[in-house]
Each structure stands twice: as C-alpha cells, then as structure tokens.
C-alpha cells in the first residue's frame, strides 16, 4: 500500500454510491488505472470538475489491496475546453478516449500510448479551431492506434495474391487491401488508400495540413470499422456522432 503520483487522461467515470465515482484513467507511468474519487459528487467537492472525461491531470493516488486505487489529489493540466463546447467536437474527442479504454490493459505501462493520446487531443482541438472539422484526426488516431497494437493494415499489395495493381477493396477479416480479381469486403477509393498510406508512413503532418478532403468521411468510416472489428464491439461515441 502506497501513495504515488502520475499524469493521466480521464477516460470514463461511473457513479458509486451516493457521493463517489469510479474514474478510469490512462496514466503516463502506470497504464490504465481505475480509482475511486470519494465525495466527488457533492457540491463542495474540491476536485469534482477536474475529473471529468477528457481532462488531462496531475494526480496523486493511494494504492490499496483491491483493484481500485483512491484519488487523493488532482491538479488540472488541460481541460481541452473548446472540445467541450460543441456536441460533435466532444463526441469526436470521446471516440479517442473510448478507443484507448478499449485497447489499454489494466496497470500495464504504455507511455507511448499515453503520449499519443495527449498529442491527439491537442491536435484535435487545434485542428477543430483552425479548420472547423476533425474527422481526419480521429481516423488517423484509430489507424495509428491499430499500428501501435501490431495490427497495421496491409496497404501496398493485395493481401491474397500479392498484386500491387488495381487495389479496389478492403477486407476487415484479412486486415488489408484486395485487388480487382480477389476483391471482397468493402470498396476503397484510391484517395482513401493514399491517405491511409501517408498516415501510417510518417506523412500524418502533411495529411492534417491539407484542407478538408472529400474522402475524409470514407477514411473515418473505414478506420472506425477496423478498430471496431478489433475490439469486437461498436464504439458508443461514434454512434452518437452519427446522430449529430
């Protein structure tokens, strides 16, 4: 049993009893941690607003014998306030949180994933403020997350026959593109295929610097389907986004 400090992003919260909440955090040094925030739902709580989903915080926790730690101190690093001001923006941000919640393992440190999430939220906020849309940021994060998990799709040649020509479809089960002769699954445009390649080969900055592209929606739908296929469930936040 001990106290420890870390930086964390709040992924999700649940009610516990009359005044407490369980908070799911992705931390820099300790991986995904679930902890109790006692008295957080009382109006006089000192850090209730600091532990809302999306918050990037510095936190002190007490590790006991059970599965749940206890939060004892919280300081805000960033609230990503502009992402909270609009339902669509918040739904896109929540999609990143839900994706990390789905792939991260309890108490397994993954600093690269934590840094990726914090940078993605900052990029999402900046991109939304500058360009007014953020579908590419979410799509790129999903693809990068899959690659981080060792599930980078095969995009250079047909998964079945190896042909680099006429790549016109994508199969979720195979995890790669298929040529016209082997095609099955869902169609993929050359524009979306090129964006996927650039995103996963170090060209993400140039992809996001471009003006909104007509294949952004296609890329978001495909990357979402890939991630949901891996998680074996639908992303709630994407379903909400579809209704906005």
């Amino acid at each position: 049993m001990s106290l420890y400090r870390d930086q964390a992003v709040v992924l999700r919260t649940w009610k516990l009893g009359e005044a407490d909440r369980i908070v799911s955090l992705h931390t820099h040094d300790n991986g995904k941690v679930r902890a109790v925030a006692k008295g957080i739902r009382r109006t006089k709580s000192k850090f209730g607003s600091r532990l809302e989903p999306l918050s990037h915080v510095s936190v002190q926790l007490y590790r006991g014998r059970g599965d749940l730690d206890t939060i004892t101190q919280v300081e805000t690093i960033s609230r990503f306030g502009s992402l909270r001001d609009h339902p669509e923006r918040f739904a896109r941000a929540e999609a990143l949180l839900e994706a990390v919640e789905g792939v991260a393992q309890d108490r397994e440190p993954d600093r690269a994933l934590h840094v990726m999430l914090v940078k993605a939220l900052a990029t999402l906020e900046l991109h939304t403020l500058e360009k007014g849309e953020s579908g590419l940021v979410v799509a790129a994060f999903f693809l990068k997350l899959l690659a981080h998990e060792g599930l980078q799709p095969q995009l250079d040649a047909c998964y079945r026959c190896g042909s680099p020509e006429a790549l016109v479809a994508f199969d979720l089960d195979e995890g790669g593109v298929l040529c016209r002769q082997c095609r099955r699954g869902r169609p993929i445009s050359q524009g979306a295929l090129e964006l996927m390649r650039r995103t996963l080969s170090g060209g993400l900055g140039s992809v996001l610097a471009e003006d909104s592209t007509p294949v952004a929606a296609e890329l978001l739908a495909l990357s979402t389907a890939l991630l949901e296929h891996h998680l074996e469930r639908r992303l709630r936040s994407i379903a909400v986004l579809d209704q906005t």
Side-chain angles (χ1 to χ4, degrees):
M1 297 186 292
S2 61
L3 284 172
Y4 66 99
R5 296 193 66 88
D6 209 336
Q7 291 190 7
V9 174
V10 180
L11 303 177
R12 190 180 175 193
T13 67
W14 300 266
K15 292 180 180 179
L16 179 66
E18 295 183 358
D20 305 339
R21 282 189 185 276
I22 297 174
V23 183
S24 177
L25 306 159
H26 194 274
T27 70
H28 184 268
D29 296 325
N30 293 274
K32 185 170 68 176
V33 173
R34 289 189 172 93
V36 176
K38 294 184 177 180
I40 192 174
R41 291 162 57 202
R42 296 193 181 103
T43 56
K44 294 183 179 180
S45 171
K46 294 180 180 179
F47 50 73
S49 63
R50 302 174 195 170
L51 286 172
E52 297 173 349
L54 202 61
S55 297
H56 183 206
V57 295
S58 175
V59 63
Q60 179 176 277
L61 304 103
Y62 175 81
R63 181 169 295 164
R65 293 190 178 93
D67 294 332
L68 295 174
D69 294 350
T70 301
I71 297 171
T72 59
Q73 292 181 12
V74 184
E75 297 175 3
T76 301
I77 297 173
S78 177
R79 293 187 69 253
F80 298 106
S82 67
L83 296 178
R84 301 174 184 274
D85 296 340
H86 189 280
E88 182 177 345
R89 296 175 188 172
F90 189 66
R92 291 193 189 280
E94 278 200 312
L96 307 190
L97 305 182
E98 189 178 356
V100 171
E101 171 82 16
V103 303
Q105 301 299 308
D106 291 345
R107 300 194 189 277
E108 289 192 9
D110 191 339
R111 293 181 178 180
L113 176 57
H114 182 79
V115 171
M116 188 189 309
L117 175 59
V118 173
K119 286 184 176 180
L121 290 171
T123 301
L124 183 67
E125 184 171 52
L126 180 62
H127 203 261
T128 301
L129 290 172
E130 290 184 346
K131 296 182 178 293
E133 65 85 30
S134 50
L136 277 176
V137 179
V138 177
F141 182 79
F142 287 174
L143 292 173
K144 291 284 193 179
L145 182 60
L146 286 165
H148 179 73
E149 292 294 298
L151 297 167
Q152 180 163 325
Q154 178 172 313
L155 303 173
D156 295 328
C158 177
Y159 189 91
R160 287 195 161 187
C161 71
S163 172
E165 305 296 332
L167 302 173
V168 297
F170 192 99
D171 188 272
L172 297 177
D173 291 323
E174 303 283 11
V177 290
L178 297 171
C179 69
R180 186 171 287 113
Q181 295 298 319
C182 301
R183 67 181 301 167
R184 71 175 190 179
R186 57 195 300 159
I188 184 171
S189 70
Q190 291 304 301
L193 178 57
E194 180 60 25
L195 280 181
M196 290 180 75
R197 287 172 173 169
R198 289 168 59 194
T199 296
L200 291 170
S201 63
L204 177 58
S206 64
V207 169
L208 296 180
E210 295 179 357
D211 292 333
S212 180
T213 168
V215 298
E218 179 187 355
L219 189 64
L220 178 58
L222 180 55
S223 62
T224 299
L226 268 169
L227 184 60
E228 290 178 337
H229 185 75
H230 170 57
L231 297 175
E232 298 184 339
R233 64 175 175 80
R234 286 216 66 191
L235 295 173
R236 298 181 305 274
S237 47
I238 293 295
V240 171
L241 186 58
D242 290 341
Q243 298 172 8
T244 59

